[in-house]
């Protein structure tokens, strides 16, 4: 989705770029290729295999895309692709174990999704485990267990997802608009399905669908990472070659399940009058849809440029017309093009005091203007630069590269589609942009809907409609880890995957810098942190820290907001500040040649921000609206009351912003905090990527060397507190909610506690993984008392709380709470088994390697470790320290760190309590 977030981007200086002429707006074609070094192999059974060797991290991403999705459905079977996706995790005839447990035991980062044109399964593992991942995918391609009992249990999970969607007014509005826009098209159906159709699925119906479409000729297998292609293809042939029938050709696309299914979207009659939904919700909402052509249309590149011109930064057309004018508080645009059609989404929420009708009028005027006033050569040049850079910056990880290839192969029918798109992008002119605006954005072709809340429910905020599902799976009945291990495919022992540590140095002003050269991609990832986080908020001025971070990009002493917007966007780079408890994290990325621009932007906002009054007031109003929404969200309320119950007044952990504290803040408050807390001696900058370290050192000295700070750096005191006496209960009431959220916990340990590594293993088994944890198995899968459950120790540079979080039906809350307390007590008293401990250690160490496989993740980890006061060598020692933990140490930690008898329990929901 192309949605604008005020703090999500910083545009950059156009250092050497001259404006393109009106006739030739595009820069020279990029040499980057998404399909370079990709090898396509088609097995005799019709399976298409795409392999791409990528060195740099010892991991491999395995992804299977089936050419079947909700586009192939019809009324009566809407949601069957999604339902089957869930069933694919229920186990096979050879491996009657929930596949989430097997993939978790491999230490994989895994999930699945259903979309309009495909259903996909993906996992990223240590390279030695790639063969095991392939064996699991081959097994469930043909041997999945689909029986009435399994379908009944997984149907509940699918229906709970639908219920969650139904709670969102934006989803309900978008569904109504989509259905009206495409009444005779599968693209007018929902991806997740409808309750009526899902409840009507039988095991036989789902199994028939599975047997027809889950076969090699409908599948594309994508493997990207650290491997030898010839050896990997031998493994693929051994695992998949015996499936299906020899001599089968790959299927280009599958047809709808029922009838012919008119998939044409262009020319569908649009509703003339707005669809009006008057239901419970938070704010008015606007949703408009314009039909678009399929992804293979020659207009695809010009449509993407049009979208960037409309909404991609502060200088974009819709930002000025809707956001800068104060009409819109949130929203975005999204041009969606699929195999057989598409549509252009416009979704916005008006600012407080503004009407959805006024917002729509301004939107229509802005779209009319782009039809009549051509985009300038500079607008088109900048849009092309942003889109091309985004393709490169979004492909630095192996899983992102694999997913891009899989989507191109199944939606566009060609894994080289992105390369062809980039070539076409370079030829887009201002005349092309105006032409597609006139062709596709006519008022008469749109379908529009308004959501008008009948009662205020501030927790219902603006969110984007989704074009694919986000999954949670039922793990089934409890399974001993030793039993899971019996069904794991064999794999060689992973090699030592030590982290390469960066070069560290410090400028005379105290600024700390980490540099790690990585020539694997033509990019640089930036991670910076300033020790100016929410811990410095006071009860009287809570929200100040977030407003400062959110306004860093609003103007400096040398550049106003508009000039800042022409900074990094000019080269397609990214810079995004956000506040957290202990600091302000600033993430960024650029193509390697544009690193000077990225650092120029970072230097300017860290040293010279001015917090202009107009931008400050707009962000203040948005923040107040955000608090209104949070105050009616069960999760937000439960967290706030939990903290305020555990910690006394004055403790930084219990400070939360309110409407009144935000309203009391002034521009002078922001400037004062910025001047005293944004200092070089509390700032760290990490760069990981393709650069010359010597040149970068010179550049950093030029940009940051003159930054000065006076006096000692500000500090925060965290008073030591104990656990509560007995079980302390609180029930903040939120009438009308369909879910309750409960927080259970108390103050616990910090990162330097000698029990830290034992607590990691303990928590992994207790509630670190919903699919295989004790809490998930007992409360969710065995007793069916919770939609979701997790636990964690907030062990940072200061001691934080241990928390268990439950999402429940209000009628089941008390049972779930008692079951959670009983399980915590059982683990404390009886401990964990040797097998549970060993399985958890394997998952933690494998996940550690996979989690550091992208340059951005690596840069962020270096920064966070340093900011937390930890030596970077701890990263090298992490696997050793986890593996050294014994069952006896874990069980001793359980006795000391788990205490169900002295605990705070806060439930936010519709009930007043027992």
């Amino acid at each position: 989705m192309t949605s604008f977030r005020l703090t999500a981007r910083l545009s950059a200086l156009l250092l050497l770029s001259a404006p393109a002429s009106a006739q030739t707006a595009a820069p020279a074609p990029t040499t980057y290729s998404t399909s370079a070094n990709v090898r396509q192999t088609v097995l005799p059974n019709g399976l298409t295999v795409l392999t791409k060797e990528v060195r740099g991290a010892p991991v491999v991403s395995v992804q299977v895309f089936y050419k079947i999705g909700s586009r192939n459905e019809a009324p009566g079977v809407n949601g069957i692709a999604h339902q089957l996706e869930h069933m694919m995790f229920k186990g096979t005839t050879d491996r009657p174990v929930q596949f989430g447990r097997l993939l978790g035991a491999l230490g994989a980062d895994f999930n699945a999704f259903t979309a309009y044109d495909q259903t996909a399964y993906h996992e990223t593992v240590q390279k030695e485990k790639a063969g095991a991942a392939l064996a699991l995918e081959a097994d469930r391609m043909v041997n999945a267990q689909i029986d009435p009992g399994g379908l009944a249990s997984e149907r509940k999970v699918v229906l709970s997802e639908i219920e969650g969607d139904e709670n969102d007014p934006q989803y309900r509005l978008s569904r109504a608009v989509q259905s009206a826009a495409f009444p005779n098209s599968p693209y007018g159906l929902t991806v997740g399905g409808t309750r009526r159709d899902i409840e009507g699925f039988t095991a036989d119906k789902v199994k028939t669908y599975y047997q027809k479409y889950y076969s090699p000729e409908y599948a594309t297998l994508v493997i990207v990472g650290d491997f030898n292609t010839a050896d990997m293809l031998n493994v693929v042939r051994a695992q998949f070659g015996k499936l299906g029938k020899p001599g089968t050709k790959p299927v280009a696309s599958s047809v709808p399940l029922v009838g012919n299914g008119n998939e044409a979207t262009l020319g569908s009659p649009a509703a003339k009058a707005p669809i009006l939904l008057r239901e419970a919700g938070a704010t008015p909402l606007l949703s408009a849809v314009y039909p678009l052509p399929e992804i293979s249309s020659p207009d695809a590149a010009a449509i993407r440029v049009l979208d960037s011109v409309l909404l991609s930064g502060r200088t974009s057309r819709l930002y000025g017309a809707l956001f800068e004018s104060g009409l819109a508080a949130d929203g975005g645009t999204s041009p969606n093009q699929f195999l057989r059609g598409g549509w252009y989404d416009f979704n916005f929420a008006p600012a407080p005091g503004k009407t959805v009708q006024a917002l729509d009028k301004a939107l229509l005027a802005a779209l009319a203007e782009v039809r009549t006033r051509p985009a300038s050569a500079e607008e088109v040049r900048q849009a092309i630069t942003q889109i091309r850079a985004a393709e490169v910056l979004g492909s630095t990880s192996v899983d992102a590269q694999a997913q891009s290839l899989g989507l191109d192969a199944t939606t566009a029918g060609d894994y080289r589609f992105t390369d062809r798109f980039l070539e076409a992008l370079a030829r887009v002119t201002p005349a092309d942009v105006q032409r597609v605006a006139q062709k596709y954005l006519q008022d008469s072709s749109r379908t529009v809907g308004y959501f008008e809340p009948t009662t205020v429910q501030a927790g219902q905020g603006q969110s984007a409609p989704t074009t694919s599902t986000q999954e949670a799976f039922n793990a089934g009945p409890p399974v001993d880890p030793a039993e899971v291990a019996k069904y794991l495919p064999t794999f060689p022992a992973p090699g030592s995957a030590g982290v390469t540590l960066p070069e560290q140095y410090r400028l005379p002003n105290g600024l700390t810098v980490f540099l790690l050269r990585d020539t694997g991609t033509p990019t640089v990832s930036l991670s910076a942190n300033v020790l100016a986080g929410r811990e410095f908020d006071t009860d009287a001025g809570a929200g100040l820290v977030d407003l400062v971070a959110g306004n860093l990009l609003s103007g400096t002493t040398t550049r106003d907001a508009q000039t800042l917007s022409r900074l990094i966007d000019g080269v397609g780079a990214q810079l995004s500040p956000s506040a957290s408890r202990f600091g302000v994290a600033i993430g960024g990325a650029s193509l390697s040649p544009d690193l000077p621009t990225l650092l120029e932007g970072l230097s300017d906002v860290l040293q010279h921000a001015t917090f202009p009054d107009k931008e400050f007031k707009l962000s203040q109003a948005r923040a107040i609206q955000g608090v209104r929404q949070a105050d009616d969200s069960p999760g937000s309320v439960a967290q706030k009351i939990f903290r305020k119950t555990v910690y006394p007044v004055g403790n930084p952990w219990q400070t939360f912003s309110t409407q009144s504290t935000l309203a009391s803040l002034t521009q002078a408050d922001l400037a004062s905090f910025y001047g005293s807390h944004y200092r070089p001696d509390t700032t760290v900058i990490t760069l990981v990527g393709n650069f010359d370290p010597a040149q970068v050192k010179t550049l950093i000295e030029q940009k940051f060397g003159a930054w000065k700070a006076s006096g000692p750096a500000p500090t925060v005191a965290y008073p030591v507190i104990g656990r509560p006496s007995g079980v302390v209960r609180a029930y903040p009431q939120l009438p009308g909610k369909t879910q309750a959220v409960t927080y259970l916990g108390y103050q616990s340990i910090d990162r330097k506690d000698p029990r830290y590594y034992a607590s990691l293993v303990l928590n992994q088994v207790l509630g670190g993984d919903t699919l295989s944890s004790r809490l998930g198995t007992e409360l969710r899968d065995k007793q069916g008392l919770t939609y979701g459950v997790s636990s964690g120790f907030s062990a940072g540079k200061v001691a934080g709380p241990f928390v268990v979080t439950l999402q429940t039906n209000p009628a089941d809350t008390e049972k779930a709470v008692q079951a959670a307390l009983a399980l915590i007590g059982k683990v404390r008293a009886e401990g964990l088994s040797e097998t549970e401990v060993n399985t958890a250690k394997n998952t933690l160490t494998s996940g550690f390697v996979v989690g550091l496989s992208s340059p951005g993740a690596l840069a962020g980890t270096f920064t966070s470790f340093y900011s937390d006061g930890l030596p970077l060598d701890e990263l090298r020692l992490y696997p050793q320290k986890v593996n050294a933990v014994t069952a006896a140490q874990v069980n001793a930690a359980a006795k000391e760190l788990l205490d169900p008898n002295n605990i705070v329990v806060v439930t936010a929901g519709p009930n007043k309590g027992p």
Side-chain angles (χ1 to χ4, degrees):
M1 173 178 174
T2 309
S3 96
F4 180 82
R5 294 182 177 87
L6 185 62
T7 60
R9 275 190 167 168
L10 171 70
S11 296
L13 206 61
L14 304 178
L15 296 180
L16 302 175
S17 301
S21 71
Q23 298 300 317
T24 56
T30 180
T31 57
Y32 174 75
S33 171
T34 61
S35 61
N37 303 318
V38 174
R39 177 174 170 179
Q40 178 173 280
T41 305
V42 179
L43 300 190
N45 60 9
L47 178 68
T48 300
V49 185
L50 301 176
T51 52
K52 182 178 182 181
E53 296 181 17
V54 176
R55 311 299 179 189
V59 298
V60 173
S61 185
V62 173
Q63 305 194 14
V64 182
F65 289 75
Y66 293 93
K67 296 177 184 177
I68 191 78
S70 64
R71 180 191 67 81
N72 308 103
E73 297 172 357
V77 287
N78 185 203
I80 195 168
H82 182 212
Q83 182 67 76
L84 176 57
E85 178 211 320
H86 277 251
M87 297 303 297
M88 291 289 282
F89 282 83
K90 301 299 288 183
T92 67
T93 53
D94 293 337
R95 295 182 173 90
V97 177
Q98 214 278 349
F99 262 47
R101 299 186 189 277
L102 295 170
L103 291 167
L106 287 179
D109 180 6
F110 69 94
N111 213 314
F113 65 85
T114 302
Y116 286 100
D117 294 330
Q118 62 277 116
T119 306
Y121 305 83
H122 54 93
E123 50 267 355
T124 301
V125 296
Q126 290 172 284
K127 65 179 184 179
E128 293 86 358
K129 299 175 182 177
L134 288 168
L136 293 177
E137 291 296 352
D139 188 15
R140 67 176 168 180
M141 180 179 282
V142 295
N143 297 318
Q145 289 189 132
I146 301 174
D147 55 65
L151 178 62
S153 68
E154 208 61 39
R155 179 188 288 121
K156 294 179 181 178
V157 179
V158 173
L159 290 175
S160 72
E161 290 182 30
I162 293 175
E163 290 166 357
D165 289 337
E166 291 287 349
N167 283 334
D168 183 1
Q170 180 63 62
Y171 172 85
R172 302 198 301 270
L173 178 62
S174 295
R175 180 187 59 190
V177 171
Q178 192 81 3
S179 178
F182 311 123
N184 301 312
S185 168
Y187 287 130
L189 303 174
T190 60
V191 176
T194 65
R195 170 177 285 276
R196 182 179 62 183
D197 286 358
I198 290 167
E199 288 179 337
F201 295 153
T202 64
D204 286 342
K205 181 180 288 189
V206 176
K207 191 170 185 177
T208 297
Y209 176 87
Y210 167 69
Q211 291 172 337
K212 181 175 181 179
Y213 295 109
Y214 276 58
S215 57
E217 67 267 28
Y218 282 95
T220 299
L221 171 62
V222 187
I223 311 170
V224 177
D226 187 4
F227 57 83
N228 175 273
T229 298
D231 294 339
M232 184 61 72
L233 286 175
N234 286 335
V235 177
V236 170
R237 292 187 182 98
Q239 295 293 346
F240 290 87
K242 58 190 175 183
L243 309 181
K245 298 178 181 179
T248 304
K249 294 182 179 179
V251 171
S253 64
S254 47
V255 298
L257 289 172
V258 176
N260 293 324
N262 176 18
E263 295 180 72
T265 56
L266 286 175
S268 297
K272 299 303 180 183
I275 297 167
L276 185 59
L277 293 187
R278 288 191 175 100
E279 300 172 354
T283 62
L285 300 170
L286 163 70
S287 178
V289 163
Y290 296 76
L292 289 178
E294 66 281 353
I295 190 67
S296 59
S297 165
D299 290 338
I303 290 170
R304 280 282 297 278
V305 175
L306 167 64
D307 186 58
S308 185
V309 169
L310 283 174
L311 191 54
S312 62
R314 288 179 186 268
T315 59
S316 59
R317 301 283 185 94
L318 290 181
Y319 178 75
L322 303 184
F323 291 98
E324 197 170 49
S325 68
L327 282 171
D330 194 9
T333 65
S334 177
N336 305 296
Q337 292 181 267
F338 300 106
L339 181 63
R340 297 286 177 83
W343 58 90
Y344 206 147
D345 270 327
F346 292 81
N347 294 285
F348 294 97
K354 307 298 181 181
T355 67
V356 69
Q357 290 81 7
L359 180 62
D360 194 19
K361 183 178 179 181
L363 173 63
L364 287 171
L367 297 183
E369 184 186 33
V370 81
R371 295 194 301 265
T372 57
R373 179 168 69 90
S376 69
E378 177 57 23
E379 284 180 299
V380 174
R381 186 211 67 80
Q382 180 168 296
I384 292 172
T385 300
Q386 291 171 344
I387 295 167
R388 292 160 72 188
E391 292 291 345
V392 183
L393 297 175
S395 299
T396 56
S397 65
V398 295
D399 56 326
Q401 293 181 54
Q403 185 170 99
S404 177
L405 290 169
L407 291 173
D408 281 356
T410 49
T411 290
D414 184 356
Y415 73 90
R416 296 161 296 190
F417 169 77
T418 296
D419 287 343
R420 292 193 287 107
F421 170 82
L422 292 174
E423 291 172 2
L425 192 70
R427 298 190 293 269
V428 174
T429 67
D432 293 326
V433 176
Q434 185 180 29
R435 176 180 56 78
V436 296
Q438 292 172 343
K439 184 175 181 179
Y440 302 114
L441 295 183
Q442 290 293 334
D443 294 350
S444 60
S445 69
R446 79 170 185 158
T447 303
V448 64
Y450 300 157
F451 178 87
E452 294 186 354
T454 54
T455 57
V456 176
Q457 289 183 354
Q460 308 278 359
Q462 167 82 358
S463 64
T466 60
T467 56
S468 64
T469 58
Q470 303 295 321
E471 305 305 0
F473 302 101
N474 192 318
V479 180
D480 188 277
E483 186 72 7
V484 174
K486 286 167 45 177
Y487 296 106
L488 278 179
T490 59
F491 55 86
S496 59
V499 178
T500 301
L501 298 182
E503 177 185 0
Q504 175 181 350
Y505 70 99
R506 182 173 295 179
L507 297 185
N509 60 10
L511 177 71
T512 300
V513 181
F514 294 108
L515 301 178
L516 180 62
R517 188 177 188 185
D518 177 4
T519 59
T521 66
T523 66
V524 179
S525 295
L526 178 148
S527 172
N529 190 73
V530 184
L531 296 181
R534 295 188 188 117
E535 62 179 352
F536 288 103
D537 268 341
T538 63
D539 288 330
L544 173 63
V545 169
D546 280 277
L547 281 177
V548 171
N551 280 276
L552 287 176
L553 313 183
S554 295
T556 67
T557 54
T558 57
R559 298 179 176 93
D560 61 16
Q562 289 290 314
T563 307
L564 277 173
S565 275
R566 288 188 288 271
L567 283 175
I568 290 177
D569 276 352
V571 293
Q574 303 163 359
L575 203 63
S576 174
S578 61
S580 62
R581 167 149 300 278
F582 298 116
V584 173
I586 306 175
S590 75
L591 301 180
S592 295
D594 302 317
L595 178 56
T597 302
L598 184 66
L599 289 175
E600 167 65 22
L602 178 66
S603 170
D604 198 16
V605 301
L606 283 181
Q607 299 179 67
H608 309 127
T610 55
F611 310 101
D613 187 63
K614 178 182 178 181
E615 284 75 11
F616 159 65
K617 288 180 178 177
L618 286 172
S619 65
Q620 185 181 42
R622 283 193 296 268
I624 291 172
Q625 184 178 17
V627 168
R628 291 191 187 120
Q629 294 173 339
D631 283 346
D632 201 48
S633 165
S636 297
V637 171
Q639 182 191 51
K640 178 170 69 174
I641 301 303
F642 171 80
R643 293 265 188 88
K644 288 186 175 295
T645 304
V646 171
Y647 298 99
V649 174
N651 190 295
W653 278 107
Q654 62 82 51
T655 302
F656 287 85
S657 60
T658 67
Q659 295 180 51
S660 60
T661 61
L662 287 166
S664 71
L665 296 172
T666 66
Q667 180 187 23
D669 293 329
L670 272 66
S672 175
F673 184 87
Y674 175 80
S676 60
H677 289 75
Y678 281 65
R679 308 161 50 104
D681 54 346
T682 61
T683 300
V684 56
I685 298 173
T686 300
L687 295 172
V688 175
N690 199 343
F691 54 79
D692 182 304
Q695 293 179 1
V696 170
K697 287 180 180 179
T698 299
L699 188 61
I700 288 177
E701 174 61 38
Q702 293 171 351
K703 300 297 182 185
F704 297 94
W707 191 10
K708 303 298 182 185
S710 60
T715 58
V716 179
Y718 283 82
V720 176
I721 68 168
R723 292 179 188 168
S725 177
V727 177
V728 180
R729 294 298 307 260
Y731 298 93
Q733 192 177 4
L734 298 169
K737 296 302 176 186
T738 58
Q739 275 191 8
V741 176
T742 300
Y743 273 58
L744 306 87
Y746 40 74
Q747 172 76 337
S748 192
I749 62 174
D750 62 26
R751 177 62 174 79
K752 295 182 179 179
D753 191 286
R755 299 165 294 184
Y756 172 74
Y757 285 97
S759 77
L760 287 180
V761 178
L762 170 64
N763 186 69
Q764 179 65 25
V765 178
L766 179 65
D769 183 343
T770 297
L771 285 176
S772 59
S773 68
R774 289 277 195 100
L775 283 168
T777 296
E778 180 67 25
L779 273 68
R780 176 188 165 105
D781 305 319
K782 186 177 179 181
Q783 299 191 43
L785 296 174
T786 177
Y787 301 137
V789 57
S790 62
S791 66
F793 292 89
S794 297
K797 66 179 183 179
V798 301
F802 164 72
V803 176
V804 175
T805 308
L806 307 172
Q807 295 172 275
T808 59
N809 183 301
D812 294 330
T813 297
E814 288 307 310
K815 290 180 182 178
V817 168
Q818 294 307 315
L821 293 175
L823 182 61
I824 292 170
K826 182 176 181 179
V827 171
R828 181 190 190 190
E830 300 177 5
L832 305 179
S833 70
E834 191 84 30
T835 303
E836 284 180 306
V837 169
N838 290 336
T839 300
K841 292 194 297 184
N842 175 66
T843 300
L844 289 169
T845 55
S846 298
F848 174 79
V849 175
V850 172
L852 295 180
S853 61
S854 74
L858 195 60
T861 302
F862 291 152
T863 296
S864 63
F865 263 59
Y866 178 80
S867 298
D868 286 346
L870 299 170
L872 291 195
D873 196 52
E874 188 77 4
L875 283 167
R876 279 181 171 163
L877 299 175
Y878 178 94
Q880 300 174 31
K881 289 189 174 183
V882 169
N883 283 324
V885 172
T886 66
Q889 290 172 326
V890 172
N891 292 334
K895 292 184 181 301
E896 297 169 0
L897 301 179
L898 301 181
D899 188 354
N901 300 315
N902 297 287
I903 192 168
V904 170
V905 182
V906 176
T907 298
N911 296 341
K912 297 180 180 179

